[in-house]
Structures are given as structure tokens and as C-alpha cells.
Amino acid sequence: MSPSRVPESGKRGYIVPIGGRIGDHRILSRFTQLCGGSQARIAIIPTASSDPDTGAHYEQSFRALGVRSTVTLPIESRADCEKPDILAAIEAADGVFLTGGTQLRLSTTLGGTPVARILRRRNAAGQHVAGTSAGAAFLSEHMIAFGDEGPTPRQGMVTLAPGLGLTNRILVDQHFRQRDRLGRLLMALSLNPFAVGIGLDEDTAAFIDGDDVAEIHGTGAITLVDPSQVEYSSADHTPPNEPVTLIGVRLHILTQGATYNLHTREAGVPQEVAERR
Amino acid sequence: MSPSRVPESGKRGYIVPIGGRIGDHRILSRFTQLCGGSQARIAIIPTASSDPDTGAHYEQSFRALGVRSTVTLPIESRADCEKPDILAAIEAADGVFLTGGTQLRLSTTLGGTPVARILRRRNAAGQHVAGTSAGAAFLSEHMIAFGDEGPTPRQGMVTLAPGLGLTNRILVDQHFRQRDRLGRLLMALSLNPFAVGIGLDEDTAAFIDGDDVAEIHGTGAITLVDPSQVEYSSADHTPPNEPVTLIGVRLHILTQGATYNLHTREAGVPQEVAERR
């Protein structure tokens, strides 16, 4: 499930993980704008959720923002992921929105199906894909399936699973501050310090563009964990439940308007702050 | 850590996971042949092992097969993965061999470093990479870090971590029959049924060529688990330690000379058997 190739002349669409509990629609409004404003065709995948009204709820939110074409895709089983009308709706969408719920519902239902393949191919060709909470966790190649709370990484506290694979540069965690998840994100990164950890507070999103530059939007912050300078991790020999040694982690707290380049691993302050200096 | 692009005119090198406890050198002899026989330059990465003689042991094996140029790369820390002489030796090798030991030693030491990047780039450009036991587990994008024994998949019995990422089409388990690992391979695949599970017996290898066709060599068998037709997985809601429901798994037992195409998901019988029919 690795990212599809971006066509020669094109640019990958945005990848937008959101930390859950979206507030005043600032985030959805930015997503709508990217997808073409009132002309946008937005498809909603409510598979993660057990609440049958989830799709309708987001359709209403997007319609309140002026979007005329919204559709909820009733994907409940792996067989649904083969249905021509569902595949056609994804193909035609300018933007796809994955709701919250359980991320393993997404991976067990969509994993290895035509729906997952089309999402990767269309995103590589310019379609924008957002996900909130479970939907955010699922976007990347490596997904945090579940784990324990607490700020200290402890051996075995986090369970990874393969995700959708739109990108593999990031490892996402959500409801970050609200559920005390720094430890499990650090633990996940300590297993193989190659990806960038993105801990998303609620009502906060990273808008990652086709050049892999993320811009932060929302009322909370993003805790960005860069393990590229990690000198040492004890994850290969720490016994179960014991704390893991991790030396050389770089950490950034980024808020509204700040940016982060996933290639150069450089953070940028919001424009208005930079100008005031 | 996704696979590097294969250059336009070239072909990816072989990826060779081996199940551990290599016997009469049939497997190493085939690997040597691929790498150029006596002219081959073979670099050994003993990082997974805690035994300081591991590299020398394999150098001796390859030399006994006529290989004149072998080198053991002393990679013990993340800092070692930046050393110019080590990177140059990998660059120059026709084949790289990763020894057994602990796969998390490999991912915590090599993950996100220039060594991992060069291995992916050179393999995409034709270099052959083999790994035995822990070395085999590490080759793919998704790696089984550790887990419990037994034939039935149970929730939480397996821990995944990001691996080297030469390919993401496979999920490897090793010492397969000897350590009763079908359950943990099924559990790992049930989280996201997209990859092909390769359960390698000891002294048995899958030689995966640049077209993603695997050929089996060795004295044991490979248990190949294809989840592409899985209709249902309960992994999203099964409680910890309880057995997981998984409907529609295809399973093949493949021995010496048999093939498997990772794209079409078709198995082929050994040539001599086919001719006798």
C-alpha cells in the first residue's frame, strides 16, 4: 500500500489529517476551498463510525459552507469496496473526507480493495483527502491502531497496523493533548526512527501539500516529533511495559499558520509573526 | 521508507527472505550465482546479531562457495550508518546479506539513516539483498517485530513495526513451522488484508525477482497466505487475547522450485512436476 506515483505533469493532492472534534468549521472551510468551493464534489466515507448519521452530519456541514455536491458512500463491508457506483463516486470527487470512529474498521474494510487503490491513485493525481480522528490515523502507510495513555514511551504500549498509504513520511496520532498520547507516539517512532510523528490536538489539522509542506490550521496545536537525529533507541531490548530510552528527538509545537517541510524537516513560523520581528 | 523507484531502463534486484538456520548452502549458492559467482562482491550486515563472529561465519560460507570479495560491515550504532566507508562498501556491492538476530536491532539502528536509503536505492537499481531470520523480517515495509506462538490468530498477539521497505507487497515470518507462527502471521494480515504473508520454514528462501515473482529454494516449505479475497475480518472489534474471525483466506504450501506471482497472486508448480503431468 505504498503511495502511488504522481503523474509527470501533475501534483499530488493535499493530505489533511485532523485531530478530531472539529469546531467552528474553519478546517472544513479551508478543505472546501481547496476542493473548489461551491463547485466542489465531496465524497464522505463514514466507514470508521458506528453512528449511521455520521455521513449526513458532515454532508450538512459541507452544505452549510456552500458545497452543492456532497455524497456519503455506504461502505460497510469489503464487498462494498468492489461496487462500481462507489468506485465511480470516488473517481469523480474533488475531495474525499474520512470520518472518525475506529481506524481498524477502515483498515480491515478498505485494506487491499479497489477503494484503497483508487484513493491512492486519485490523490497522487490531485484529489484532496482529509480524515478526522480515526480517519486521520488511517491516511498514512503506518497507522497507530491503538495504545495506552501517558507521556513516557513504554515497550508494547502501542500497536501499529498498515494504513491507507497515501504517504509514508508521517505517523499520525490524534486527540493528542486531550488524551495524553505523547508516549505512544514516541514509542511508535522509537521502533524505526524514519517517519515524522504528527500529534494532532482536537480541532486542529495539518494541510500537507503536494510538496510535502504541512500548514497548520485550527484552534489547538500540533506536536511534531522529528526522530531524524535520534542517536539511540533502546526499543530492541527494553522489556515489556518498561520505559524506552530515546536520545536526540527534536520536537516542535506548531499552531495556526505555522508550516513544516517534511523533506528538509524545517519548521516555519506563521507569516504575521515573522513580519512583526 | 517505501520502495525506491526502479530506473526507467533497469530492473530491481532480487529480494531474498530466508527462514533461518541455513543448511547445506544451497540457498547461499543460488544467491552467490545471482550476484555474479566468484566475481561477486558481497557485503554482510551483522547488525541484528549479538554474536561478534556472525559476519566472519558468513564470509567463510561465501568464500567456500568461491566468492573472492566479501566484507563484513561493522554497523553497531546509528552514527555508524553515516560513515563514508560503510556507505561506499554498500554502494559497491553486488549483493548484501543481512544476518539473523533481533529485527528491532536492525530497525532501530538502520531506520531513517543513509544506510537504509542506499539499500533501497541500490536494490531498485539491481543490487540483490538477502536476509535470514531477523534479516528476512526486516526487508519489507511492514515487519513483524515480535509475537506469540500458536496457529490461531488472537487479538494483540503480534507487534508490527516499520521495516526497511525494499517492497511492501509481502509480510514475512520466519522459523515458521519450527516455532508455530501461523497465528501471528494471520493476525498481522487481518489488521489490513493487503499484503501477501510469507511464512518461511528454516533453511528455505523465497527468491523474489524484479517482476515480483518468487521462486522457492530450500529443504522446507513456504506457507503463503493471500488475504486478497478476505470477505471479513473481526480485527477491528475483537477484545484482547480473543481469537479473530477471518473469512476467505487463500493458503498455499510451496516447496523447492515452486513459484508465486505477487501481482497476479498465482502459484506455479515446480517445472519437473509440471512436465511429468
Side-chain angles (χ1 to χ4, degrees):
Chain A
M1 320 246 326
S2 69
S4 285
R5 275 189 199 191
V6 174
E8 288 284 329
S9 59
K11 195 155 237 184
R12 193 196 66 210
Y14 274 76
I15 299 171
V16 188
I18 309 167
R21 289 191 184 273
I22 300 170
D24 63 0
H25 299 314
R26 222 192 313 183
I27 292 167
L28 295 187
S29 150
R30 170 101 175 100
F31 184 67
T32 299
Q33 224 176 53
L34 288 176
C35 295
S38 61
Q39 302 302 313
R41 285 157 301 178
I42 292 183
I44 294 154
I45 298 181
T47 309
S49 177
S50 54
D51 175 354
D53 297 331
T54 301
H57 164 76
Y58 283 107
E59 283 203 66
Q60 204 171 25
S61 299
F62 282 115
R63 284 178 182 274
L65 290 164
V67 178
R68 282 198 287 269
S69 168
T70 64
V71 59
T72 298
L73 305 177
I75 303 175
E76 293 184 3
S77 68
R78 293 180 65 78
D80 290 340
C81 295
E82 316 260 348
K83 288 185 178 162
D85 56 330
I86 284 178
L87 301 178
I90 297 175
E91 193 73 58
D94 301 301
V96 173
F97 186 89
L98 298 138
T99 75
T102 307
Q103 48 264 49
L104 279 172
R105 263 286 282 164
L106 285 165
S107 62
T108 55
T109 310
L110 272 56
T113 71
V115 163
R117 281 193 289 279
I118 288 189
L119 285 171
R120 282 194 296 277
R121 178 169 53 71
R122 287 283 292 124
N123 180 239
Q127 183 182 66
H128 308 300
V129 182
T132 187
S133 192
F138 181 57
L139 298 174
S140 187
E141 175 83 41
H142 298 277
M143 160 180 116
I144 294 182
F146 49 86
D148 301 331
E149 298 194 346
T152 305
R154 282 176 298 103
Q155 186 70 284
M157 80 187 292
V158 65
T159 296
L160 293 178
L164 177 58
L166 298 184
T167 173
N168 54 13
R169 299 196 165 270
I170 58 171
L171 190 64
V172 172
D173 210 347
Q174 60 290 339
H175 304 283
F176 196 69
R177 196 137 316 172
Q178 291 78 5
R179 300 191 189 170
D180 197 9
R181 288 178 164 174
L182 180 60
R184 77 181 205 179
L185 184 58
L186 288 169
M187 185 62 228
L189 293 167
S190 76
L191 297 169
N192 183 330
F194 83 101
V196 171
I198 296 189
L200 299 152
D201 286 354
E202 293 175 354
D203 193 31
T204 310
F207 283 76
I208 305 169
D209 69 15
D211 296 320
D212 282 330
V213 175
E215 189 170 289
I216 286 57
H217 287 269
T219 56
I222 283 183
T223 302
L224 202 141
V225 185
D226 172 14
S228 63
Q229 293 172 34
V230 162
E231 296 148 38
Y232 177 80
S233 159
S234 75
D236 58 332
H237 62 273
T238 299
N241 299 317
E242 295 293 315
V244 166
T245 307
L246 199 53
I247 296 174
V249 170
R250 274 164 65 85
L251 192 136
H252 312 284
I253 309 292
L254 305 178
T255 57
Q256 173 75 37
T259 59
Y260 187 80
N261 187 316
L262 293 166
H263 289 286
T264 63
R265 311 243 168 157
E266 278 167 10
V269 288
Q271 206 51 40
E272 59 265 47
V273 178
E275 280 163 4
R276 236 183 288 141
R277 278 185 178 175
Chain B
M1 318 249 324
S2 69
S4 284
R5 277 187 198 192
V6 174
E8 286 285 328
S9 58
K11 195 157 235 183
R12 194 196 64 208
Y14 274 76
I15 299 171
V16 188
I18 309 167
R21 289 191 183 272
I22 301 169
D24 62 1
H25 298 315
R26 221 192 315 182
I27 292 168
L28 295 187
S29 151
R30 169 102 176 99
F31 184 68
T32 298
Q33 226 176 51
L34 287 176
C35 297
S38 62
Q39 302 302 314
R41 285 157 301 178
I42 292 182
I44 293 154
I45 298 181
T47 309
S49 176
S50 53
D51 175 354
D53 297 331
T54 302
H57 163 77
Y58 283 107
E59 284 203 65
Q60 204 170 26
S61 299
F62 282 115
R63 284 178 182 275
L65 291 164
V67 177
R68 284 198 286 268
S69 168
T70 64
V71 59
T72 297
L73 305 178
I75 302 176
E76 294 185 1
S77 68
R78 293 181 64 80
D80 290 340
C81 294
E82 316 259 349
K83 288 184 178 163
D85 56 330
I86 284 178
L87 301 179
I90 297 175
E91 193 73 57
D94 301 302
V96 172
F97 186 89
L98 298 139
T99 74
T102 306
Q103 48 264 50
L104 278 172
R105 263 287 280 165
L106 285 165
S107 62
T108 56
T109 310
L110 273 56
T113 71
V115 164
R117 282 194 288 279
I118 288 188
L119 286 171
R120 281 194 297 276
R121 179 168 53 71
R122 286 283 291 125
N123 180 238
Q127 184 183 66
H128 308 300
V129 182
T132 186
S133 192
F138 181 57
L139 298 175
S140 187
E141 175 83 40
H142 297 277
M143 160 180 116
I144 294 182
F146 48 85
D148 302 332
E149 299 194 347
T152 304
R154 282 176 298 102
Q155 186 70 282
M157 80 188 291
V158 66
T159 295
L160 293 179
L164 178 58
L166 299 183
T167 173
N168 54 12
R169 299 197 165 268
I170 58 171
L171 190 64
V172 172
D173 211 348
Q174 60 289 341
H175 304 284
F176 196 69
R177 194 135 318 171
Q178 291 78 6
R179 299 191 189 170
D180 196 9
R181 288 178 164 174
L182 179 60
R184 78 181 205 179
L185 184 57
L186 288 170
M187 184 63 228
L189 292 168
S190 77
L191 296 170
N192 184 329
F194 83 101
V196 171
I198 296 189
L200 298 152
D201 285 356
E202 292 175 355
D203 193 31
T204 310
F207 282 76
I208 305 170
D209 69 15
D211 296 320
D212 282 329
V213 175
E215 189 171 289
I216 285 58
H217 287 269
T219 55
I222 283 184
T223 302
L224 202 140
V225 185
D226 172 14
S228 63
Q229 294 172 34
V230 162
E231 296 148 38
Y232 176 80
S233 158
S234 74
D236 58 332
H237 62 273
T238 300
N241 300 315
E242 295 293 316
V244 167
T245 307
L246 200 52
I247 296 175
V249 171
R250 274 164 66 84
L251 193 136
H252 312 284
I253 309 293
L254 304 177
T255 59
Q256 174 74 37
T259 60
Y260 187 80
N261 187 316
L262 292 166
H263 289 285
T264 63
R265 311 244 168 156
E266 278 167 10
V269 288
Q271 206 50 40
E272 59 265 46
V273 179
E275 280 162 4
R276 237 184 286 142
R277 280 188 177 175

